[in-house]
């Protein structure tokens, strides 16, 4: 015998599994319990009570004929009449006589034998096996309803999901995160709308065809999570548990979205239930009339018993018939539930789950849609209670994870540690650089002396209202991270920020609030702005930057972006580093009539753009790293009377035209890294020249006319083929820096003492064997200012050599 307890495991489920049972599965489970009780009750009755009771038939032939005809009409299978019985039914009726006290001469065992024989021959098969069929069908329904919980391919995934769901529901971080999301006030929403409206008004295009800027602050309720400053309620252990949950869910999501096995198993078991219940209901309805109280039995054992016909009574016919009707009603309800479940499965999109559409109340809206088995299980959870999916969403949100990291980060990065990271930049300003951390620590806002703030690779960077404490902040660097800010922070940044540097990989990393910084004077952008293959890559209008004067673009576009032309009239400096992408259509530069500094580097320019001639205010032209070879147009630049700086380094210039002398106001000329073999004498007519750099060419001789450059302060002729310095060079009494390393100098003229202001002298890489003692008369040339080989320096007298050691 198998104990009943052994069967318990087949229907036993963990209580937590109920969250994956929708209402139709729950109701179907109760119905199967009722059907199982009917089957067990019927089986108990058949086992404990007499099934059928039979007595010999002493009635007249006419009465027997009526009974047989009635029985044959109701149940033709139960009537197995022999030829002798048929003869009785056709015999003429005789007068009835009253019978009393007739002895049957049958003992108890003979009656039991007759009862057993008639039970097998006279009773309909459904009347005999109905309770057992009910039990079998019910067990099949129970197995079908729970098969996806037991199937090896789905049970582990479901158990893992249920386990994670329970931990998410009980996690303290879940309650905190949801309370912060629901804590967004109407005033904050109104402030966001006001800022967006302000942005639209100030950046409204004059022509009416420019794009409207994006909203400056986060549009979703989830963005408000970061701006709340609730006291920390999680201890270290709870934070670690929450972090582990985020990681576990990330891995589970990747695993669950790989396949839709759970969905297919549930659909298959539901479809099987529909087919099974249809078959069960079909044959059950057709056998409703199979239960009868009276039966005529002809067991064919007259020689043994002395009687050929017996009248039998089925004791359980009435109650079994009522149980059958009740069973049919329950099966009908079960069939409706199964059909409804199948209809829901095929009419709903259950392989995709969107938290925006399915979650009720405030929640995290930054969660991407989930798919396949993960989505299906979340849909099933929603049929139980949407609260579960809302609490689960806390651990699917990057905003929530960023907020958790912020809490942990705030404890790891106190103000003392941040203060140790403060340093000074090349301009002597106090700067703080934060890189590769999840969020901005809140203690940053306590460092009120910060002037430059650099943020790099911060996944959830956001500036809050406390940034207004940084009264000295004027420059902000953003590198490969999308920085958001709340209304109070934006109001402060909008008024105070002067310089903004943004390095980006895609356009989403460009902050939308950037276009409304009315007091911004310098904007530096570095990233892909080439829209030739992707029309969505483009800057929005910069008209909102009313204070912009300097614009620097490091990109790879083929023509000037329209956003640059929107502020063309107000720019005083334009710098373009174009990544060796050819820049065409430079005629639009004519619109920048207030431009003072123009840098066009790595633009594949083969000639000096003619559009520069119209920029009469230009003071500096930088055409470094292009493809210039012939620069005969230099003479035309004399129209630019304010031009005093010209940089043509890293090109392929082989000669300078004599017309260069027309640039009489030139103070700085850089033509290093070219192919020059000589310098025209006309070059030395630029008497205002103060800085001259002709390094890394193939120059063999410096003309004596270099002595005309009486204002020259810096001369760099590094890495050329110069064998001697003209004595006229030392007439340039204002010379402070002389760099002649990597040449072929064999001696240094003693006239070097005529350079009283000389403070930097580079002689490395020459053929010098000694230095003139007169070098000691250069009073400004001190330790660290002279760069020469040690053996050459050793030729100087000890008292002179001591100055440079």
């Amino acid at each position: 015998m198998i104990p009943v307890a052994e069967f318990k495991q087949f229907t036993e489920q963990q209580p937590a599994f109920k969250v994956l049972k929708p209402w139709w599965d729950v109701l179907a489970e109760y119905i199967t319990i009722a059907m199982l009780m009917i089957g067990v009750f019927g089986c108990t009755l058949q086992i404990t009570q007499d099934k059928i009771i039979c007595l010999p038939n002493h009635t007249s032939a006419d009465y027997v004929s009526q009974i047989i005809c009635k029985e044959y009409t109701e149940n033709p299978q139960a009537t197995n009449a022999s030829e002798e019985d048929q003869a009785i039914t056709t015999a003429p009726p005789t007068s009835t006589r009253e019978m009393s006290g007739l002895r049957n001469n049958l003992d108890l065992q003979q009656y039991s034998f007759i009862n057993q024989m008639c039970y097998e021959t006279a009773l309909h098969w459904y009347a005999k096996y109905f309770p057992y069929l009910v039990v079998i069908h019910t067990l099949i329904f129970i197995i079908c309803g729970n098969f996806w919980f037991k199937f090896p391919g789905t049970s582990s995934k479901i158990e893992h999901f249920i386990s994670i769901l329970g931990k998410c529901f009980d996690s303290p971080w879940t309650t905190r995160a949801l309370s912060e999301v629901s804590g967004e006030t109407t005033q904050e929403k109104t402030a966001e709308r006001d800022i967006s409206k302000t942005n639209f008004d100030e950046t409204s295009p004059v022509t009416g065809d420019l794009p409207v800027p994006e909203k400056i602050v986060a549009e979703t309720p989830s963005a408000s999570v970061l701006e709340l400053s609730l006291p920390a309620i999680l201890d270290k252990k709870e934070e670690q548990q929450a972090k582990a949950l985020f990681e576990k869910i990330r891995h589970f999501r990747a695993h669950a979205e790989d396949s839709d096995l759970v969905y297919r198993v549930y659909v298959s078991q539901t479809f099987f239930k529909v087919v099974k219940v249809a078959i069960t209901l079909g044959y059950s309805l057709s056998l409703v009339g199979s239960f009868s109280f009276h039966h005529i039995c002809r067991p064919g054992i007259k020689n043994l018993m002395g009687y050929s016909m017996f009248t039998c009574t089925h004791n359980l016919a009435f109650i079994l018939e009522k149980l059958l009707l009740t069973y049919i009603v329950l099966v009908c309800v079960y069939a409706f539930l199964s059909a409804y479940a199948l209809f829901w499965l095929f009419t709903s999109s259950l392989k995709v789950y969107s938290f925006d559409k399915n979650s009720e109340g405030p929640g995290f809206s930054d969660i991407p849609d989930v798919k396949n088995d993960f989505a299906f299980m979340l849909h099933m959870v929603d049929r139980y209670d949407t609260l579960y999916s809302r609490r689960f969403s806390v651990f699917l949100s990057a905003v929530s994870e960023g907020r958790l990291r912020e809490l942990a980060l705030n404890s790891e990065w106190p103000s003392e540690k941040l203060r140790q990271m403060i340093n000074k930049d090349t301009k002597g300003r106090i700067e703080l650089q934060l890189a590769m951390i999840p969020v901005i620590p809140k203690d940053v806002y306590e460092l009120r002396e910060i002037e430059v703030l650099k943020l790099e690779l911060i996944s959830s960077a956001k500036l809050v209202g406390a940034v207004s404490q940084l009264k000295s902040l004027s420059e902000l660097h953003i590198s490969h991270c999308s920085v958001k800010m709340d209304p109070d922070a934006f109001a402060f940044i909008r008024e105070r920020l002067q310089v903004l540097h943004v390095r980006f990989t895609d356009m989403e990393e460009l902050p939308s609030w950037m276009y409304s910084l009315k007091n911004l004077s310098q904007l530096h952008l570095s990233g892909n702005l080439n829209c030739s293959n992707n029309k969505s890559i483009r800057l929005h209008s910069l008209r909102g930057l009313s204070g912009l004067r300097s614009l620097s673009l490091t990109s790879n576009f083929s023509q000037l972006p329209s956003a640059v032309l929107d502020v063309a009239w107000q720019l005083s400096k334009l710098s373009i580093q174009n990544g060796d992408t050819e820049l065409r259509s430079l005629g639009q530069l004519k619109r920048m009539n207030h431009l003072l500094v123009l840098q066009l580097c790595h633009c594949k320019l083969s000639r000096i753009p003619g559009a520069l001639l119209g920029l009469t205010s230009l003071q500096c032209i930088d055409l470094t790293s292009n493809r210039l070879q012939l620069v005969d147009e230099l003479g035309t630049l004399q129209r630019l009377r304010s031009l005093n700086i010209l940089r043509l380094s890293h090109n392929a210039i082989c000669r300078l035209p004599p017309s260069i002398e027309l640039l009489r106001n030139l103070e700085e000329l850089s033509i290093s890294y070219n192919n020059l073999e000589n310098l025209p004498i006309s070059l030395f007519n630029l008497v205002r020249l103060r800085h001259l750099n002709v390094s890394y060419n193939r120059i063999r001789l410096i003309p004596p006319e270099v002595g005309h450059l009486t204002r020259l302060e810096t001369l760099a002729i590094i890495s050329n083929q110069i064998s001697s310095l003209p004595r006229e060079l030392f007439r340039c009494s204002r010379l402070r820096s002389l760099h002649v390393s990597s040449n072929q100098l064999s001696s240094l003229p003693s006239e070097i003492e005529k350079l009283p202001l000389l403070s930097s002298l580079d002689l490395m890489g020459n053929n010098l064997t000694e230095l003139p003692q007169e070098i000691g008369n250069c009073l400004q040339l001190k330790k660290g200012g002279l760069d020469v080989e040690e053996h050459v320096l050793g030729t100087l007298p000890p008292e002179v050599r001591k100055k440079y050691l």
Side-chain angles (χ1 to χ4, degrees):
M1 293 294 291
I2 301 177
V4 178
E6 294 294 327
F7 293 96
K8 185 178 180 181
Q9 60 177 331
F10 292 102
T11 58
E12 187 182 49
Q13 295 179 145
Q14 298 180 14
F17 277 34
K18 64 183 179 181
V19 298
L20 287 179
K21 297 181 75 68
W23 64 267
W24 54 81
D25 279 351
V26 175
L27 187 55
E29 186 176 354
Y30 285 113
I31 291 175
T32 54
I33 292 175
M35 290 191 292
L36 185 63
M37 293 177 64
I38 289 175
V40 172
F41 180 61
C43 290
T44 303
L45 289 177
Q46 288 199 333
I47 292 174
T48 59
Q49 295 190 15
D50 292 335
K51 303 173 184 178
I52 193 170
I53 299 175
C54 299
L55 293 175
N57 196 328
H58 296 284
T59 58
S60 64
D62 183 55
Y63 181 70
V64 170
S65 175
Q66 294 177 9
I67 293 176
I68 291 175
C69 291
K70 179 179 178 182
E71 183 179 10
Y72 186 82
T73 302
E74 294 179 352
N75 193 357
Q77 296 179 359
T79 309
N80 300 319
S82 63
E83 295 180 358
E84 180 183 354
D85 298 331
Q86 294 177 2
I88 295 176
T89 59
T90 56
T94 59
S95 59
T96 60
R97 59 186 179 86
E98 183 176 356
M99 299 175 61
S100 61
L102 185 64
R103 296 179 61 85
N104 293 330
N105 296 321
L106 298 175
D107 58 24
L108 182 61
Q109 300 224 1
Q110 289 176 313
Y111 277 114
S112 298
F113 178 76
I114 293 298
N115 290 345
Q116 186 64 31
M117 288 287 296
C118 290
Y119 179 78
E120 298 296 334
T121 59
L123 229 61
H124 190 273
W125 69 269
Y126 194 61
K128 293 183 290 184
Y129 301 115
F130 161 68
Y132 307 106
L133 291 176
V134 171
V135 172
I136 293 173
H137 293 323
T138 304
L139 290 178
I140 293 176
F141 288 144
I142 292 175
I143 293 174
C144 289
N146 299 279
F147 180 74
W148 68 318
F149 294 130
K150 303 296 183 180
F151 183 64
T154 59
S155 60
S156 61
K157 191 178 291 186
I158 292 174
E159 288 176 4
H160 196 183
F161 176 76
I162 294 296
S163 173
I164 293 176
L165 190 65
K167 293 178 181 178
C168 293
F169 198 90
D170 297 333
S171 174
W173 174 247
T174 307
T175 304
R176 175 181 173 84
L178 287 177
S179 65
E180 291 185 352
V181 172
S182 60
E184 184 183 59
T185 62
T186 306
Q187 296 171 346
E188 291 170 344
K189 295 181 179 179
T190 305
E192 291 180 3
R193 289 196 296 268
D194 292 342
I195 290 177
S196 300
K197 184 176 183 301
T198 303
N199 297 339
F200 176 78
D201 293 340
E202 296 196 358
T203 58
S204 297
V206 177
T207 58
D209 58 353
L210 294 176
V212 178
E214 300 175 3
K215 287 190 177 182
I216 287 177
V217 293
E219 298 177 357
T220 60
S222 60
S224 65
V225 174
L226 297 181
E227 64 194 54
L228 296 175
S229 56
L230 298 179
I233 60 173
L234 302 182
D235 57 26
K236 195 68 175 178
K237 181 179 179 181
E238 292 170 339
E239 286 182 4
Q240 294 299 327
Q241 290 175 347
K243 289 180 180 178
L245 266 180
F246 273 108
E247 191 65 24
K248 184 180 293 186
I249 291 174
R250 188 178 295 109
H251 289 295
F252 175 76
R253 177 173 182 171
H255 172 65
E257 289 187 328
D258 282 344
S259 67
D260 58 349
L261 181 62
V262 176
Y263 172 78
R264 287 188 285 111
V265 169
Y266 187 83
V267 171
S268 300
Q269 75 176 30
T270 305
F271 181 77
F272 180 81
K273 284 196 296 184
V274 171
V275 174
K276 180 70 174 63
V277 77
I279 295 174
T280 304
L281 191 61
Y283 82 79
S284 297
L285 287 173
S286 65
L287 298 176
V288 172
S290 61
F291 293 96
S292 176
F293 188 74
H294 298 285
H295 295 274
I296 297 298
C297 176
R298 297 173 180 82
I301 53 174
K302 183 178 180 180
N303 296 333
L304 180 64
M305 298 297 178
Y307 298 95
S308 61
M309 182 172 62
F310 294 86
T311 300
C312 302
T313 300
H314 186 202
N315 299 338
L316 303 178
F318 177 79
I319 190 169
L320 290 181
E321 185 176 21
K322 302 307 177 187
L323 290 177
L324 174 61
L325 294 175
T326 305
Y327 174 70
I328 289 175
V329 172
L330 293 177
V331 172
C332 289
V333 177
Y334 192 90
F336 169 77
L337 295 176
S338 301
Y340 177 83
L342 198 63
F343 172 80
W344 178 73
L345 288 171
F346 287 131
T347 57
S348 303
S349 179
L350 301 179
K351 289 188 178 182
V352 177
Y353 187 93
S354 173
F355 283 90
D356 290 339
K357 299 178 181 179
N358 295 282
S359 297
E360 297 179 0
F364 297 92
S365 58
D366 66 316
I367 308 172
D369 294 348
V370 298
K371 300 176 182 178
N372 292 333
D373 283 343
F374 198 14
F376 175 68
M377 288 187 284
L378 287 172
H379 279 291
M380 297 296 282
V381 167
D382 275 350
R383 308 303 298 184
Y384 181 81
D385 193 343
T386 57
L387 179 62
Y388 281 89
S389 59
R390 278 190 60 205
R391 297 181 75 87
F392 195 85
S393 68
V394 170
F395 292 91
L396 292 171
S397 168
V399 172
S400 173
E401 187 174 9
R403 178 58 175 150
L404 177 63
R405 290 177 179 176
E406 180 184 1
L407 288 178
L409 196 71
N410 288 335
S411 60
E412 295 175 5
W413 292 81
S415 57
E416 294 78 11
K417 183 177 180 180
L418 290 170
R419 197 172 297 277
Q420 294 175 0
M421 300 174 60
I422 293 179
N423 52 41
K424 291 187 177 182
D425 63 5
T426 56
K427 298 180 181 180
R429 297 174 302 177
I430 299 176
E431 72 171 20
L432 173 65
Q433 181 174 5
L434 301 174
M436 301 180 69
I437 57 177
V439 294
I440 301 174
K442 65 177 183 179
D443 287 345
V444 168
Y445 306 119
E446 297 181 6
L447 310 178
R448 303 186 180 185
E449 66 272 24
I450 294 178
E451 299 176 74
V452 180
L453 179 59
K454 296 183 178 181
L455 308 175
E456 181 177 358
L457 294 171
I458 299 179
S459 56
S460 301
K462 183 174 181 180
L463 295 174
V464 297
V467 74
S468 60
Q469 300 178 23
L470 307 180
K471 301 295 184 181
S472 302
L473 183 64
S474 62
E475 184 171 333
L476 179 62
H477 293 245
I478 301 173
S479 181
H480 302 293
C481 57
S482 180
V483 177
K484 296 180 175 60
M485 59 178 63
D486 61 19
D488 293 336
F490 170 73
F492 174 80
I493 293 295
R494 187 182 188 185
E495 297 294 329
R496 296 298 184 93
L497 199 64
Q498 298 291 322
V499 182
L500 175 63
H501 293 253
V502 181
R503 295 176 62 88
F504 59 95
T505 303
D506 52 54
M507 297 302 292
E508 281 131 11
E509 293 179 354
L510 278 176
S512 55
W513 45 263
M514 174 187 75
Y515 300 100
S516 301
L517 302 176
K518 62 180 183 179
N519 290 329
L520 190 70
S521 60
Q522 296 182 32
L523 176 61
H524 302 261
L525 301 178
S526 177
N528 179 24
L529 292 174
N530 190 348
C531 60
S532 58
N533 297 324
N534 189 348
K535 300 300 181 183
S536 64
I537 299 179
R538 62 189 181 91
L539 288 172
H540 294 305
S541 175
L542 300 177
R543 280 200 177 93
L545 308 180
S546 56
L548 188 63
R549 295 296 178 266
S550 175
L551 177 61
S552 176
L553 301 175
T554 302
S555 188
N556 57 346
F557 43 79
S558 57
Q559 58 183 4
L560 288 176
S562 59
V564 177
L565 301 177
D566 291 339
V567 291
W569 59 273
Q570 66 188 55
L571 290 179
S572 60
K573 178 180 179 180
L574 176 63
S575 176
I576 297 178
Q577 303 280 342
N578 211 38
D580 288 328
T581 300
E582 185 177 1
L583 184 60
R584 301 184 295 269
S585 304
L586 291 176
Q588 296 172 329
L589 290 174
K590 296 179 181 179
R591 300 171 55 180
M592 303 182 182
N593 48 14
H594 292 90
L595 209 59
L596 302 178
V597 178
L598 176 62
Q599 295 178 337
L600 301 176
C601 303
H602 299 279
C603 297
K604 283 190 176 181
L605 300 179
S606 57
R607 56 176 298 177
I608 297 176
L612 303 187
L613 302 179
L615 306 178
T616 56
S617 299
L618 272 181
Q619 298 177 1
C620 175
I621 297 178
D622 188 348
L623 301 179
T624 300
S625 300
N626 283 285
R627 295 183 176 180
L628 301 177
Q629 294 182 355
L630 299 177
V631 286
D632 295 335
E633 306 92 347
L634 282 178
T636 61
L637 297 181
Q638 64 175 320
R639 302 180 186 179
L640 310 180
R641 299 187 180 279
S642 300
L643 183 64
N644 52 39
I645 299 175
L646 180 61
R647 296 170 183 159
L648 303 174
S649 300
H650 293 274
N651 280 281
I653 302 173
C654 56
R655 68 180 182 85
L656 291 176
S659 58
I660 193 173
E661 65 178 352
L662 299 177
L663 307 180
R664 299 187 181 278
N665 294 321
L666 208 60
E667 297 181 5
E668 179 182 335
L669 176 62
S670 178
I671 49 175
S672 59
Y673 293 92
N674 279 280
N675 299 324
L676 296 176
E677 294 184 357
N678 53 66
L679 298 176
I681 296 176
S682 58
L683 171 63
F684 303 103
N685 292 329
L686 303 176
V687 294
R688 294 190 178 184
L689 204 61
R690 295 190 298 115
H691 305 279
L692 177 61
N693 187 351
V694 292
S695 301
Y696 298 95
N697 283 278
R698 290 177 287 182
I699 302 172
R700 297 183 178 181
L701 178 67
I702 297 179
E705 286 77 9
V706 69
H708 297 165
L709 304 180
T710 55
R711 298 186 182 182
L712 194 63
E713 297 179 4
T714 302
L715 176 60
I717 49 177
I718 301 170
S719 190
N720 280 277
Q721 302 175 15
I722 298 173
S723 58
S724 62
L725 296 177
R727 298 182 182 276
E728 289 79 5
L729 172 63
F730 303 102
R731 296 177 185 173
C732 305
S733 57
R734 297 186 181 182
L735 197 62
R736 297 176 182 273
S737 298
L738 178 60
H739 303 278
V740 291
S741 60
S742 301
N743 279 278
Q744 300 176 9
L745 297 177
S746 59
S747 63
L748 185 65
S750 58
E751 284 81 0
I752 194 169
E753 65 178 353
K754 297 180 180 180
L755 302 178
L757 301 180
L758 187 66
S759 59
S760 176
L761 177 60
D762 185 4
L763 301 172
M764 290 290 292
N766 284 280
N767 300 325
L768 296 174
T769 57
E770 61 179 1
L771 292 177
Q773 297 183 11
E774 290 78 5
I775 197 173
N777 296 327
C778 299
L779 301 180
Q780 298 298 324
L781 190 62
K782 299 179 182 179
K783 182 178 180 180
L786 177 60
D787 194 1
V788 70
E789 289 83 355
E790 290 187 8
H791 70 277
V792 178
L793 185 61
T795 61
L796 291 174
E799 64 275 7
V800 177
R801 185 171 63 247
K802 186 178 180 180
K803 291 178 53 179
Y804 310 116
L805 294 177

